[in-house]
Protein backbone atom coordinates (compact mmCIF):
# COMPACT_ATOMS: atom_id res chain seq x y z
CA UNK A 1 0.00 0.00 0.00
CA UNK A 2 1.28 3.48 -0.90
CA UNK A 3 2.15 5.84 1.91
CA UNK A 4 -0.23 8.82 1.93
CA UNK A 5 1.10 12.33 2.50
CA UNK A 6 -0.90 15.51 3.11
CA UNK A 7 0.93 18.71 2.15
CA UNK A 8 -0.70 22.04 2.98
CA UNK A 9 0.33 24.79 0.60
CA UNK A 10 1.77 22.07 -1.64
CA UNK A 11 0.73 23.97 -4.75
CA UNK A 12 3.64 26.43 -4.82
CA UNK A 13 7.03 27.35 -3.38
CA UNK A 14 8.54 24.96 -0.86
CA UNK A 15 5.36 22.90 -0.71
CA UNK A 16 5.38 22.28 -4.46
CA UNK A 17 8.94 20.95 -4.27
CA UNK A 18 7.89 18.66 -1.41
CA UNK A 19 4.93 17.43 -3.44
CA UNK A 20 7.14 16.64 -6.44
CA UNK A 21 9.63 14.77 -4.27
CA UNK A 22 6.94 12.62 -2.65
CA UNK A 23 5.45 11.76 -6.04
CA UNK A 24 8.89 10.77 -7.36
CA UNK A 25 9.17 8.42 -4.38
CA UNK A 26 5.86 6.81 -5.34
CA UNK A 27 3.77 8.27 -2.51
CA UNK A 28 0.14 9.23 -2.79
CA UNK A 29 -0.03 12.98 -2.19
CA UNK A 30 -2.98 15.14 -1.15
CA UNK A 31 -2.31 18.84 -1.65
CA UNK A 32 -4.49 21.35 0.16
CA UNK A 33 -4.35 24.98 -0.92
CA UNK A 34 -6.43 28.06 -1.57
CA UNK A 35 -5.60 28.70 -5.22
CA UNK A 36 -4.72 26.14 -7.89
CA UNK A 37 -5.01 28.47 -10.89
CA UNK A 38 -1.25 28.20 -11.61
CA UNK A 39 -0.87 24.60 -10.49
CA UNK A 40 -0.09 22.40 -13.49
CA UNK A 41 1.29 19.29 -11.83
CA UNK A 42 -0.41 16.07 -12.99
CA UNK A 43 0.06 12.61 -11.53
CA UNK A 44 -2.21 9.62 -10.95
CA UNK A 45 -1.18 9.65 -7.27
CA UNK A 46 -1.94 13.34 -6.78
CA UNK A 47 -5.16 14.84 -5.37
CA UNK A 48 -5.67 18.60 -5.14
CA UNK A 49 -8.20 20.00 -2.67
CA UNK A 50 -9.15 23.67 -2.69
CA UNK A 51 -9.57 24.87 0.88
CA UNK A 52 -9.05 28.11 2.78
CA UNK A 53 -6.70 27.11 5.61
CA UNK A 54 -7.81 30.07 7.71
CA UNK A 55 -11.05 28.13 8.23
CA UNK A 56 -10.17 26.22 11.39
CA UNK A 57 -13.73 25.22 12.28
CA UNK A 58 -14.28 23.00 9.22
CA UNK A 59 -10.94 21.17 9.42
CA UNK A 60 -12.56 18.03 10.93
CA UNK A 61 -14.68 17.69 7.79
CA UNK A 62 -11.64 18.20 5.57
CA UNK A 63 -9.68 15.49 7.38
CA UNK A 64 -12.67 13.14 7.22
CA UNK A 65 -12.84 13.74 3.46
CA UNK A 66 -9.13 12.97 3.05
CA UNK A 67 -9.08 9.86 5.21
CA UNK A 68 -6.03 8.29 6.84
CA UNK A 69 -2.61 9.74 6.10
CA UNK A 70 0.86 8.58 7.10
CA UNK A 71 2.68 11.89 6.69
CA UNK A 72 1.54 15.44 7.46
CA UNK A 73 3.51 18.40 6.13
CA UNK A 74 2.20 21.61 7.72
CA UNK A 75 3.78 23.87 5.12
CA UNK A 76 1.21 26.58 4.34
CA UNK A 77 1.96 30.02 5.70
CA UNK A 78 2.35 33.64 4.73
CA UNK A 79 3.61 37.04 5.91
CA UNK A 80 1.93 40.44 6.13
CA UNK A 81 4.88 42.87 6.08
CA UNK A 82 2.65 45.80 5.12
CA UNK A 83 1.35 46.08 8.72
CA UNK A 84 3.33 47.60 11.58
CA UNK A 85 3.20 46.34 15.17
CA UNK A 86 1.09 49.34 16.25
CA UNK A 87 -1.24 49.25 13.24
CA UNK A 88 -2.15 45.59 12.75
CA UNK A 89 -5.87 45.14 11.99
CA UNK A 90 -7.69 42.58 14.14
CA UNK A 91 -8.94 40.66 11.11
CA UNK A 92 -5.44 40.44 9.62
CA UNK A 93 -4.02 39.28 12.95
CA UNK A 94 -6.65 36.54 13.32
CA UNK A 95 -6.21 35.39 9.72
CA UNK A 96 -2.43 34.97 9.91
CA UNK A 97 -2.63 33.22 13.29
CA UNK A 98 -5.20 30.80 11.87
CA UNK A 99 -3.17 29.90 8.79
CA UNK A 100 0.29 29.90 10.37
CA UNK A 101 -0.48 28.43 13.82
CA UNK A 102 -4.03 27.37 14.69
CA UNK A 103 -4.63 25.25 11.59
CA UNK A 104 -1.29 23.37 11.76
CA UNK A 105 -1.90 22.54 15.42
CA UNK A 106 -5.47 21.42 14.76
CA UNK A 107 -4.32 19.26 11.85
CA UNK A 108 -1.75 17.56 14.08
CA UNK A 109 -4.52 16.75 16.54
CA UNK A 110 -6.89 15.45 13.88
CA UNK A 111 -4.55 13.34 11.73
CA UNK A 112 -2.68 11.86 14.69
CA UNK A 113 -5.80 9.89 15.68
CA UNK A 114 -5.41 7.62 12.66
CA UNK A 115 -1.63 7.56 13.02
CA UNK A 116 -1.96 6.34 16.61
CA UNK A 117 -4.24 3.51 15.52
CA UNK A 118 -1.67 2.44 12.93
CA UNK A 119 1.30 2.98 15.24
CA UNK A 120 3.13 5.10 12.69
CA UNK A 121 3.23 8.70 11.53
CA UNK A 122 5.51 11.51 10.47
CA UNK A 123 4.71 15.19 10.95
CA UNK A 124 6.88 18.07 9.76
CA UNK A 125 6.03 21.70 10.45
CA UNK A 126 7.43 24.57 8.40
CA UNK A 127 8.26 27.41 10.78
CA UNK A 128 10.74 30.20 10.08
CA UNK A 129 13.76 32.04 11.40
CA UNK A 130 11.12 34.71 12.11
CA UNK A 131 10.11 32.68 15.16
CA UNK A 132 13.66 32.80 16.53
CA UNK A 133 14.54 36.46 16.04
CA UNK A 134 12.80 39.82 16.42
CA UNK A 135 10.86 39.90 13.16
CA UNK A 136 9.28 43.04 11.63
CA UNK A 137 6.01 41.19 10.91
CA UNK A 138 5.18 40.71 14.58
CA UNK A 139 2.31 38.24 14.25
CA UNK A 140 4.13 36.14 11.67
CA UNK A 141 7.03 35.83 14.08
CA UNK A 142 4.72 35.02 17.00
CA UNK A 143 2.89 32.35 14.98
CA UNK A 144 6.11 30.66 13.86
CA UNK A 145 7.53 30.69 17.39
CA UNK A 146 4.32 29.05 18.56
CA UNK A 147 4.59 26.39 15.86
CA UNK A 148 8.11 25.49 16.96
CA UNK A 149 6.89 25.09 20.53
CA UNK A 150 3.89 23.06 19.36
CA UNK A 151 6.35 20.73 17.60
CA UNK A 152 8.00 19.96 20.95
CA UNK A 153 4.67 19.46 22.68
CA UNK A 154 3.24 17.10 20.06
CA UNK A 155 6.48 15.14 19.81
CA UNK A 156 6.13 14.39 23.53
CA UNK A 157 2.42 13.64 23.30
CA UNK A 158 2.62 11.36 20.26
CA UNK A 159 6.09 9.80 20.38
CA UNK A 160 5.04 6.73 22.36
CA UNK A 161 2.58 5.93 19.54
CA UNK A 162 5.26 5.72 16.85
CA UNK A 163 4.72 9.26 15.59
CA UNK A 164 7.75 11.46 14.91
CA UNK A 165 7.22 15.24 14.94
CA UNK A 166 9.82 17.74 13.73
CA UNK A 167 10.09 21.24 12.34
CA UNK A 168 12.21 23.30 9.95
CA UNK A 169 13.04 26.99 10.44
CA UNK A 170 14.28 28.44 7.13
CA UNK A 171 15.59 31.94 6.63
CA UNK A 172 14.13 33.78 3.58
CA UNK A 173 13.52 31.56 0.56
CA UNK A 174 13.23 32.59 -3.08
CA UNK A 175 9.45 32.18 -3.36
CA UNK A 176 6.33 34.32 -3.83
CA UNK A 177 6.56 35.30 -0.15
CA UNK A 178 9.32 37.73 -1.10
CA UNK A 179 7.14 39.81 -3.41
CA UNK A 180 6.06 42.20 -0.63
CA UNK A 181 9.55 42.67 0.79
CA UNK A 182 11.36 45.85 -0.15
CA UNK A 183 14.63 45.70 -2.14
CA UNK A 184 16.36 47.34 0.83
CA UNK A 185 15.18 44.67 3.25
CA UNK A 186 16.20 41.89 0.87
CA UNK A 187 19.66 43.38 0.41
CA UNK A 188 20.09 43.76 4.18
CA UNK A 189 19.32 40.08 4.77
CA UNK A 190 21.67 38.87 2.04
CA UNK A 191 24.54 40.54 3.90
CA UNK A 192 23.95 38.17 6.84
CA UNK A 193 24.33 34.86 4.95
CA UNK A 194 27.67 33.45 3.85
CA UNK A 195 26.44 32.67 0.33
CA UNK A 196 24.91 36.13 -0.17
CA UNK A 197 21.61 34.77 -1.50
CA UNK A 198 18.19 33.52 -0.46
CA UNK A 199 17.61 29.80 -0.10
CA UNK A 200 16.11 27.84 -2.98
CA UNK A 201 12.78 26.13 -2.28
CA UNK A 202 14.30 22.77 -3.21
CA UNK A 203 16.95 23.15 -0.48
CA UNK A 204 14.24 23.41 2.17
CA UNK A 205 12.09 20.67 0.66
CA UNK A 206 14.96 18.18 0.77
CA UNK A 207 15.23 18.69 4.55
CA UNK A 208 11.46 18.38 5.00
CA UNK A 209 11.25 15.16 2.98
CA UNK A 210 14.17 13.64 4.88
CA UNK A 211 12.50 14.40 8.21
CA UNK A 212 9.28 12.86 6.86
CA UNK A 213 10.88 9.68 5.52
CA UNK A 214 14.45 8.59 6.32
CA UNK A 215 14.97 10.53 9.53
CA UNK A 216 15.71 8.21 12.49
CA UNK A 217 12.89 7.90 15.03
CA UNK A 218 15.18 9.22 17.76
CA UNK A 219 15.24 12.62 16.07
CA UNK A 220 11.92 14.05 17.25
CA UNK A 221 10.75 17.32 18.75
CA UNK A 222 13.56 19.19 17.02
CA UNK A 223 13.67 22.32 14.88
CA UNK A 224 16.19 22.16 12.06
CA UNK A 225 17.77 25.57 11.40
CA UNK A 226 18.24 26.26 7.67
CA UNK A 227 19.70 29.75 7.50
CA UNK A 228 23.19 29.64 5.96
CA UNK A 229 24.89 30.92 9.15
CA UNK A 230 22.61 33.96 9.51
CA UNK A 231 21.39 32.75 12.93
CA UNK A 232 23.78 30.32 14.58
CA UNK A 233 23.10 28.90 18.05
Amino acid sequence: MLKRALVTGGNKGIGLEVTKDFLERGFEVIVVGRDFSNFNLKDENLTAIEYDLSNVEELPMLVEQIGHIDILINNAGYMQPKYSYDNYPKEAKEHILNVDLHTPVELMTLVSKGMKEKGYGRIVNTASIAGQIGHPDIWYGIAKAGLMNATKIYAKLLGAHGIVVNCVAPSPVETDMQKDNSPERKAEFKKTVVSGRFAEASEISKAIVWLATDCPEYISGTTMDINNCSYMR
Side-chain angles (χ1 to χ4, degrees):
M1 184 179 292
L2 297 180
K3 277 195 169 68
R4 304 185 81 227
L6 167 60
V7 185
T8 67
N11 53 327
K12 58 185 179 180
I14 296 169
L16 178 58
E17 295 302 318
V18 171
T19 297
K20 289 177 181 177
D21 200 327
F22 279 146
L23 290 172
E24 287 174 6
R25 289 169 177 252
F27 290 9
E28 182 182 351
V29 185
I30 300 95
V31 173
V32 175
R34 188 173 55 84
D35 182 10
F36 287 89
S37 56
N38 296 316
F39 183 72
N40 301 311
L41 194 59
K42 305 289 183 184
D43 192 284
E44 62 180 2
N45 290 325
L46 174 66
T47 302
I49 299 177
E50 211 168 285
Y51 185 86
D52 183 349
L53 288 161
S54 69
N55 182 355
V56 182
E57 290 183 3
E58 295 184 24
L59 286 173
M61 288 177 277
L62 174 67
V63 171
E64 186 176 354
Q65 174 190 347
I66 292 169
H68 175 78
I69 64 165
D70 303 291
I71 298 168
L72 168 64
I73 309 297
N74 272 320
N75 170 75
Y78 75 109
M79 288 190 297
Q80 299 183 130
K82 60 185 175 182
Y83 300 124
S84 63
Y85 76 95
D86 55 352
N87 185 26
Y88 216 108
K90 182 174 182 287
E91 185 178 329
K93 185 192 308 180
E94 290 174 351
H95 195 275
I96 196 169
L97 283 174
N98 280 349
V99 174
D100 288 14
L101 179 60
H102 297 158
T103 283
V105 172
E106 184 67 9
L107 284 175
M108 285 195 285
T109 298
L110 292 168
V111 304
S112 63
K113 294 176 184 177
M115 291 177 174
K116 286 165 71 174
E117 290 174 4
K118 203 169 179 181
Y120 176 87
R122 292 285 172 122
I123 298 173
V124 185
N125 298 314
T126 302
S128 168
I129 194 174
Q132 300 168 315
I133 61 174
H135 195 267
D137 185 346
I138 178 172
W139 289 103
Y140 178 73
I142 289 170
K144 292 305 187 180
L147 188 56
M148 285 188 279
N149 193 264
T151 298
K152 298 176 184 179
I153 294 167
Y154 276 76
K156 283 186 175 182
L157 292 172
L158 303 175
H161 302 280
I163 303 168
V164 173
V165 187
N166 285 299
C167 185
V168 296
S171 56
V173 182
E174 201 66 73
T175 67
D176 287 348
M177 285 185 74
Q178 298 307 324
K179 67 181 184 299
D180 293 325
N181 271 336
S182 67
E184 294 78 17
R185 187 167 157 188
K186 291 179 183 179
E188 198 60 33
F189 168 75
K190 288 178 181 178
K191 294 176 185 176
T192 69
V193 296
V194 294
S195 63
R197 64 172 176 85
F198 288 151
E200 297 292 335
S202 61
E203 293 175 301
I204 313 306
S205 71
K206 285 184 175 73
I208 291 172
V209 172
W210 179 76
L211 288 170
T213 55
D214 300 326
C215 167
E217 182 182 19
Y218 213 73
I219 300 176
S220 191
T222 66
T223 292
M224 181 186 291
D225 294 347
I226 312 175
N227 58 50
N228 200 223
C229 302
S230 61
Y231 180 70
M232 295 191 289
R233 57 194 179 108

